[in-house]
Amino acid sequence: MTPSTTVHSPLRLYGRSGELAILETLLGKLRTGDGGALVLTAPPGLGRTALLRQAAAHYLRGHGGPVLYASAAPTEQRLPYSGLHALLCSAPGPLSLAPDTVLSSGITPGALLGLLRALGAEQPLLVCVDDAHLWDPDSRAALGFAARRLGAGSRVAVVIGAADETAFAGLPALRLGPLDDDAATALLDRLTDGAADVDPVVRSELLREAAGNPRLLAGLAGRLTPGQLAGRTALPYPLPGGESVLDAHAAHLDGLSCDTHTLLLLAAAAEEHEPDGAGSDAALLLRAGVRAGLSASHLDRVLFAPAGSAGALQRAGSRVHFSHPLLRRAVLHRAPPGRRRAVHELLAGLLGGGEPDRARLPALVQKACASTGPDAGLAEQLERAATAPRPHGERSAALARAAALSTDDALRAARFTAAAEQARLAGDTGRARAMLARVGPHLAEGAAPYVRGMLALRDGPVADAREALLAAAELLAPHDPRRTLDALFGAAEAAWAMGDAIAYLDAMNRVPVAAADRPTAQYRAGMCAVLAGHPDRGHALLRCCLDSAARAEDAGELLRAGACALVLGEVDAACRAGARALAVVRTRGPEALLPHALEQLAYAELRSGQHARARAHALEGLHAARRTGQRNSAAHLHAVLALAASVEGPAEACAAHADAALTGAGPHGLAQAATLATWAVARADLAAGRPGEAAARLGPLVRPGPGTGHFATRMLAVPCYVEAVVLSGRAHEAGGELAVAVQEFTLWTTRTTDPQVPAQLARCRALLAPAEEAAARYEEALAHHDRAGGDFERARTRLLQGQLLRRLRRTREARGPLRDALVAFERCSARAWAGRAAGELRAAGEAVDAPDRSGPGPLAALTPQQQRIARCVAEGATNREVAVRLSVSPRTVDHHLRNVFAALGVRSRTELARLLDRGGGARLQDRDEKKRADL
């Protein structure tokens, strides 16, 4: 045989590096003489064919070996052995068994196995079969039999592409998933030739509609005009271009009975008035099925047994879902228009006969689906019905239908904009952007830029959000005072997230006082006064606003009250307001506010020292932010989680959350999230005994001037900065910056009622004071802590007090504060800080149980102080750095280090680092093996 040349080299594949690596492993084994098999499974459009072609082309290009390649022909599915006939016809040379003989007389599975092995004996052979699920049963059975018996030494590899692995059970299977966002974006860039003028909203809609299906994405993008791609022309509704993918999905249902097709069409149509992903009501389907003439036994079999619909329908309680979202669209696409309209009319009649208020909107949506063209009257009915108390998601769907039925272009744009706003409030940012993409150049008198700006506020560059919302406020001011207020407050919130106090004041000063109620006017005036340098007047106004919120029932007013409390430093009041706001959002919505409400509550709890509760709420908020597509909220919540982990640990969690926060904060300009994340990492450095690194991180945050930390949060990091500079021995070197930071912090202390701040100021002064004055300063700090409460901050003060006493050789006196610190850190689950306190206590001569390090390790023979010095040196610290970290003299470090070298039998710092690395690596390996065994 000579190599086949009929396989064409495919274009670049996106997002399939893992799958390509698996195929390369299989081909690598084939080149060395070992065979095998792999089944690639995926719904239509996800790239099975592309991967098969890539594998075949790569094998031909790299090895030059023979390839048998065949694709199924659905029209030949009833012809026995037609699949194997097509496969053997692809052979580039004569075979011992002619393909025509196989077609006329058949071939046993054993004979096929022998034929493939004989071909592989000449040169390693690759067999690729695409859409094998559409082969005739005899060919499938024979191929599966042969593939299961090709292994080591067989010199034959079989790669099969199929919709699922049912017909090839027992073979290794690799199921392809949708492309991730990065891969889909890269593919779209290639499909549009990297055009820079593709509108971001249009891009978002294409990616959302394609849902990671590369073939569908190519079809959708290929049907849009340059004007539509650039956002100059409204997108069609629905988007064209997915017909081939939908036809491929529908083809899997061709073998089902007519009654089953009817029920599938009813289920697909019944989801039209439901929110995305909600499925359909099983009770409604039963009623509709009976009305359509289906037997009760057939309904039970299809609705209650997955096999009855060939796996197309899945039951979850009282809801019925399609196994794949595209399958539902395929059923509607394949149905004849007349039959589809009849089903919608049937459902409209059933829904219209229920409770009038509850069923009116769903019935109207079904009527809209049955409409044959624009209908201004029905569109108006839909718009009137799409009001509270219907959920925002349902209102959005109804308004989109009303827009599609509208005859007037401006009215259509206004209704699509209203649908976008309702989708945004429902927490469906993808659908909101999809509706905006259909508005086109009609801006609906400011409503469209308002929705765009509010979306960007939670999921985009906040500078862009600010500009969009300011522009929207100008357009809305003459006729919509409520949205004008919301737009200006949104612009101010964007400026706050940016860390731009001047931009914040600019937005707040534009708020029309006449349009605001009393608490809102007090909030605006109070925040402006505080940022303009009039704290007394501002605090009085903010306190009035906070008092007014005691009777508030609106989530926005309660969130503003929580912000007032945080600016005032009344953290307990902030927690109460945040909890009430969260309860209102949970009860009344909107869903879009849930991540923000959880973020504000978690931050308030963090400020009040309730770290575990803050972590729980921040985790819930992070899940909500991901679910609702709010990446900016996710970045802020990651920062809160990093701060919580800097107290509770582990350090790896703090670093991971901080990295996630900074990754999101950079592109979107989130200065507050970046400041909090950096502070969190620095605080974790302090807990781990790395004050030098902490000081380096915090210095840029706390110094005055441009490029510093966020104006509202940088003062919170000053106590950590002072501690880090002093403990790293750099107080003299950073004297000027340190004095300015403490001076600013002192001034800020007079402007906040945060109960922890006076204690933190006294602690800073103790750190900077001469030894003879420091003791009194620590006692002053502890007195403030006694009034304020809070284990964590008090424990930090006791820890520093104990370190000072130990450095002054007053070891016996040091044990009391250090013991108190250890107990308090353990009580508030501050594990890393507890470890630091325990190390100090051991160095003071008190026996403390060492933390479990999964075995004695190479340091077991050393004293606790020697262990601490050995670990520091193994990390690369110099003797002086170790001395600063452990509050001892460099001479003491040198003395202990010589004893460490002698005890461990090493001669250099490098050997010590290698010894500890081997010990740690072995313990980690043992721990991982134990975990795997447990699993």
Side-chain angles (χ1 to χ4, degrees), residues 677-764:
T678 304
W679 177 27
V681 176
R683 193 158 70 175
D685 285 336
L686 273 177
R690 297 189 294 269
E693 295 179 28
R697 296 183 197 278
L698 292 171
L701 293 187
V702 302
R703 67 170 60 106
T708 62
H710 190 275
F711 63 85
T713 54
R714 67 186 189 91
M715 283 295 101
L716 299 172
V718 168
C720 285
Y721 173 65
V722 173
E723 179 179 341
V725 170
V726 171
L727 293 185
S728 62
R730 295 171 49 200
H732 180 72
E733 175 187 336
E737 285 188 6
L738 198 59
V740 171
V742 174
Q743 185 178 1
E744 273 198 275
F745 190 73
T746 303
L747 179 60
W748 182 66
T749 302
T750 65
R751 297 177 175 181
T752 181
T753 58
D754 189 328
Q756 296 295 340
V757 170
Q760 291 172 334
L761 177 60
R763 186 170 72 210
C764 290

Side-chain angles (χ1 to χ4, degrees), residues 183-372:
T185 300
L187 174 59
L188 182 57
D189 286 340
R190 195 201 77 186
L191 293 170
T192 57
D193 296 324
D197 60 345
V198 177
D199 184 77
V201 174
V202 175
R203 178 186 296 275
S204 174
E205 166 61 352
L206 288 171
L207 295 174
R208 186 191 77 93
E209 191 75 7
N213 189 303
R215 183 173 160 195
L216 180 56
L217 181 59
L220 296 173
R223 292 287 291 275
L224 296 184
T225 66
Q228 289 169 337
L229 284 170
R232 294 189 296 269
T233 307
L235 293 184
Y237 180 72
L239 287 176
E243 294 80 6
S244 64
V245 176
L246 297 180
D247 285 337
H249 275 274
H252 294 300
L253 307 175
D254 285 346
L256 300 178
S257 68
C258 181
D259 285 353
T260 303
H261 273 286
T262 298
L263 186 55
L264 289 175
L265 182 56
L266 285 168
E271 287 195 33
E272 289 293 296
H273 65 267
E274 301 279 5
D276 287 346
S280 55
D281 181 15
L284 175 63
L285 290 183
L286 287 171
R287 291 165 56 207
V290 171
R291 184 71 63 88
L294 304 181
S295 67
S297 60
H298 182 77
L299 290 170
D300 290 343
R301 184 169 63 255
V302 176
L303 289 178
F304 296 97
S309 62
L313 294 181
Q314 298 173 346
R315 180 81 180 272
S318 62
R319 311 298 294 180
V320 176
H321 300 262
F322 277 85
S323 57
H324 194 282
L326 287 179
L327 195 55
R328 184 187 80 85
R329 290 165 56 184
V331 169
L332 290 172
H333 169 73
R334 178 68 72 89
R339 190 175 180 214
R340 190 169 64 243
R341 285 195 298 271
V343 164
H344 285 303
E345 288 170 354
L346 185 154
L347 291 169
L350 290 174
L351 291 166
E355 304 173 33
D357 291 340
R358 185 176 180 183
R360 181 168 178 251
L361 186 59
L364 288 172
V365 171
Q366 290 295 335
K367 285 183 180 180
C369 293
S371 177
T372 57

Side-chain angles (χ1 to χ4, degrees), residues 854-867:
S854 303
L859 304 185
L862 304 181
T863 67
Q865 184 74 314
Q866 289 172 343
Q867 290 181 13

Side-chain angles (χ1 to χ4, degrees), residues 525-539:
M527 295 297 287
C528 288
V530 169
L531 291 186
H534 308 294
D536 293 339
R537 179 172 175 270
H539 286 180

Side-chain angles (χ1 to χ4, degrees), residues 7-198:
V7 178
H8 300 289
S9 178
L11 295 172
R12 176 188 171 188
L13 296 181
Y14 292 85
R16 298 300 184 201
S17 57
E19 292 84 351
L20 289 171
I22 293 173
L23 286 170
E24 175 56 32
T25 300
L26 181 67
L27 297 181
K29 291 181 178 179
L30 178 61
R31 294 186 191 101
T32 62
D34 287 336
L38 180 66
V39 182
L40 297 175
T41 68
L46 287 185
R48 289 194 319 260
T49 300
L51 279 169
L52 282 168
R53 289 176 177 170
Q54 182 91 316
H58 186 66
Y59 185 65
L60 278 172
R61 187 169 56 248
H63 183 72
V67 176
L68 299 184
Y69 192 104
S71 297
T75 55
E76 298 177 358
Q77 194 170 11
R78 298 181 183 277
L79 183 62
Y81 298 105
S82 58
L84 287 176
H85 178 263
L87 180 67
L88 297 178
C89 282
S90 70
L95 301 174
S96 60
L97 181 63
D100 290 348
T101 303
V102 171
L103 188 61
S104 60
S105 305
I107 184 173
T108 65
L112 176 64
L113 176 62
L115 177 61
L116 294 178
R117 282 178 171 167
L119 293 174
E122 301 177 18
Q123 293 185 71
L125 171 69
L126 176 63
V127 179
C128 296
V129 178
D130 194 13
D131 288 332
H133 59 282
L134 298 178
W135 263 16
D136 61 279
D138 295 320
S139 294
R140 284 202 309 266
L143 180 65
F145 176 89
R148 292 184 193 96
R149 287 158 179 79
L150 296 172
S154 65
R155 296 167 63 87
V156 180
V158 178
V159 184
I160 301 169
D164 57 58
E165 59 270 26
T166 305
F168 301 98
L171 289 174
L174 175 62
R175 184 163 185 84
L176 305 184
L179 299 184
D180 60 29
D181 290 343
D182 291 339
T185 300
L187 174 59
L188 182 57
D189 286 340
R190 195 201 77 186
L191 293 170
T192 57
D193 296 324
D197 60 345
V198 177

